[in-house]
Amino acid sequence: MAAVSALTAAAVAVVGLAAPAHAADPVLRDLAAAKGVYYGTAVTSSKLSGTYGALAGAQFDSITPANEMKWGTVEPNRGSFDWAGADRVVNFAEANGQRVRGHTLVWHSQMPNWLANGSFSNTELRTIMTDHVTTEVTRYRGRIDHWDVVNEPLNEDGTMRGSKFYNQLGESYIADAFRAARAADPAAKLYINDYNTDGTGPKSNGMYSLVQRLKAQGVPIDGVGFQGHLILGQVPSTLQANLQRFADLGVEVAVTELDIRMTLPATDAKLTQQKAEYKAVTNACLAVARCEGVTVWGFTDSDSWIPDVFPGEGAATPYDAGFQPKPAYYGIAEALGWTGDGGPGDPGDPGDPGDPGDPTPTTGCAVAYAVQSQWNTGFTAGVTVRNTGTSPVNGWTLRWTWPSGQSVTQAWNATVSQSGAQATAVNAAHNAAIAPGGSVTFGFNGAWSGGNTAPGAFTLNGAACTAAVS
Ligand code: G2I
């Protein structure tokens, strides 16, 4: 796939210009490809330009139109089709070497009014449905990797959801939709897709039984999609085991609509937890051989359905609304094997135990020494000690040697003692800690005669500092 790599490199270069991404940020699609999975995102077709388009093209190797392929969008009036948004997404994907997840053919929601409110005989409704599947799948034949043929067929208790199709046609609507899709594009992988089936439980059990029944009837079903609309702190611990038990039925699995929402405002602690949870979901897919990939439901918080539907909640995606990568993005990258550092966009890092991206901590100091006033036998000096390393200093001893016989007579903000020509300053209780990049200051009065040359060298806790004298 040399052509795809070249396109990726070109797209990354565009991001460097268009978005304030960090130079060393990883490319999720490349990491995913190296692990044998895809990483996808849902997109909004009208936004596929500028920074949004550059990131969608550069970072992901699969895209799903969030709304553009739904029945209500493509056939708003019976027999009159609007493929503009869907075409835009498919063309974008091809230009960026991406696969497309088609979403979705038969769903109880976002149906056109003529269909939702129309009255049809059972036979007529079945034909309307299979014609729709045939028309849409045929239009994109050979260009769609996976189709969500039937979306959200279940109730929370695992029974069949009462929808227009189910109510009139019974469960056989599912088999008919899959058969029509297979006939229209034999190469596309055909999925059934639902939410709240991510962990084991009644709804997941209902899906499991349904897939067993479909397989037993010889229905051409290739995969099961787990939407993954999750809540911070409630990622199911059974996710991996659940994906595995479906895979063991002889189908592919995928996480198809991942987002992890939180109560706003987003704090560093919540974003750090979200990082761990994105990482865990990605790891669950990687651990299941038949898990094909993960798709996030919008890659930026500016393009997420959550705030509209759950007021007061949000921050559910891997990039913030200004297209800056969030800790979640680095969590995905780390699950995919990346070992770099997330830098300033990654508050979970450094200091995140076990994070392979953390740099090795460094130590270092800089001392500024200044004589503030001087009289016939005495002087007053100020000393500022800066921590130029990346690890905190907890308790400090600063030493220097007087070049011309001076001595310290009285000090503040440190305890200073002297032995021969060597002075030793030890922190006071209140300034023992020096954070990375931080500094402390102390002062003293000294005695001199003959000369008052400033000390040229200092050590902090035994290590040499750079010195500036004024
Ligand atoms: O609800 C989240 C997802 C659950 N699984 C199936 C997905 O298809 C579904 O996606 C969402 C889209 O992300 C939303 O963007 O489906 C919603 C509809 O159920 C979409 O919302 C709709 C709004 O309800 C409309 O008012 C709006 O015109 O998006 C439309 C286009 O922006």
Side-chain angles (χ1 to χ4, degrees):
M1 296 270 279
V4 172
S5 313
L7 277 163
T8 307
V12 170
V14 171
V15 173
L17 295 174
H22 309 109
D25 278 348
V27 176
L28 300 182
R29 60 184 291 171
D30 292 347
L31 295 169
K35 292 278 185 187
V37 296
Y38 65 81
Y39 227 92
T41 182
V43 294
T44 298
S45 63
S46 59
K47 298 181 180 175
L48 286 171
S49 59
T51 304
Y52 181 100
L55 280 173
Q59 287 288 339
F60 302 94
D61 54 359
S62 174
I63 57 178
T64 306
N67 290 293
E68 291 79 350
M69 288 185 175
K70 290 171 179 172
W71 200 332
T73 306
V74 300
E75 196 182 1
N77 299 300
R78 191 168 183 180
S80 122
F81 295 91
D82 179 357
W83 303 106
D87 283 354
R88 212 177 301 137
V89 172
V90 175
N91 291 337
F92 179 91
E94 289 174 351
N96 286 282
Q98 298 168 308
R99 55 176 105 196
V100 180
R101 283 193 57 87
H103 175 85
T104 177
L105 296 168
V106 180
W107 188 26
H108 67 273
S109 178
Q110 282 183 292
M111 287 193 278
N113 284 336
W114 65 264
L115 174 63
N117 303 323
S119 257
F120 310 99
S121 73
N122 294 351
T123 309
E124 197 180 3
L125 181 63
R126 196 178 293 275
T127 304
I128 287 171
M129 183 194 74
T130 53
D131 281 355
H132 167 68
V133 171
T134 303
T135 303
E136 185 155 358
V137 176
T138 302
R139 180 176 178 86
Y140 297 107
R141 180 186 170 105
R143 302 172 75 189
I144 302 276
D145 203 63
H146 301 130
W147 268 112
D148 287 333
V149 177
V150 173
N151 196 37
E152 302 175 359
L154 297 171
N155 292 316
E156 291 305 295
D157 65 359
T159 58
M160 298 299 294
R161 181 195 287 271
S163 68
K164 186 168 193 87
F165 304 107
Y166 182 76
N167 294 349
Q168 281 193 241
L169 308 177
E171 190 174 309
S172 67
Y173 87 91
I174 297 179
D176 289 345
F178 274 86
R179 291 197 167 104
R182 178 67 98 227
D185 186 353
K189 292 285 171 50
L190 307 181
Y191 274 62
I192 197 161
N193 192 50
D194 215 326
Y195 61 91
N196 286 351
T197 50
D198 314 298
T200 52
K203 192 168 185 182
S204 169
N205 291 344
M207 180 63 94
Y208 188 84
S209 310
L210 174 58
V211 173
Q212 279 181 317
R213 292 197 296 279
L214 294 171
K215 296 280 287 180
Q217 294 159 29
V219 174
I221 178 171
D222 300 305
V224 181
F226 299 82
Q227 291 186 5
H229 291 297
L230 303 175
I231 300 170
L232 191 74
Q234 297 179 34
V235 174
S237 58
T238 53
L239 175 62
Q240 182 185 323
N242 192 44
L243 296 178
Q244 186 64 58
R245 72 171 178 150
F246 279 86
D248 292 343
L249 287 177
V251 287
E252 312 183 337
V253 295
V255 179
T256 53
E257 304 185 12
L258 177 61
D259 48 26
I260 304 179
R261 63 185 185 265
M262 61 183 72
T263 303
L264 297 173
T267 61
D268 283 353
K270 289 182 207 172
L271 293 171
T272 300
Q273 183 179 351
Q274 188 187 47
K275 172 185 178 178
E277 294 182 351
Y278 265 93
K279 194 170 176 174
V281 172
T282 305
N283 275 328
C285 179
L286 290 174
V288 175
R290 297 209 69 187
C291 185
E292 297 288 301
V294 176
T295 296
V296 294
W297 204 245
F299 66 89
T300 156
D301 290 339
S302 66
D303 188 36
S304 170
W305 66 295
I306 299 291
D308 292 339
V309 175
F310 301 99
E313 297 181 58
T317 79
Y319 285 81
D320 72 15
F323 300 114
Q324 291 295 329
K326 290 160 57 182
Y329 162 86
Y330 297 102
I332 295 168
E334 287 170 10
L336 295 173
W338 182 67
T339 56
D341 182 67
D346 186 7
D349 186 13
D352 174 9
D355 179 352
D358 284 349
T360 310
T362 60
T363 58
C365 50
V367 173
Y369 173 95
V371 172
Q372 290 156 347
S373 65
Q374 184 170 310
W375 56 99
N376 52 353
T377 56
F379 67 101
T380 300
V383 181
T384 297
V385 183
R386 179 171 299 281
N387 176 1
T388 58
T390 60
S391 39
V393 169
N394 292 309
W396 49 268
T397 299
L398 187 77
R399 289 204 169 90
W400 66 93
T401 301
W402 290 117
S404 46
Q406 300 98 319
S407 60
V408 175
T409 54
Q410 181 202 359
W412 48 94
N413 294 329
T415 303
V416 183
S417 58
Q418 197 162 324
S419 168
Q422 189 179 72
T424 300
V426 175
N427 63 270
H430 70 268
N431 63 7
I434 320 177
S439 62
V440 294
T441 298
F442 67 94
F444 60 85
N445 288 334
W448 67 284
S449 67
N452 190 14
T453 307
F458 298 85
T459 61
L460 184 75
N461 295 342
C465 301
T466 59
V469 170
S470 61

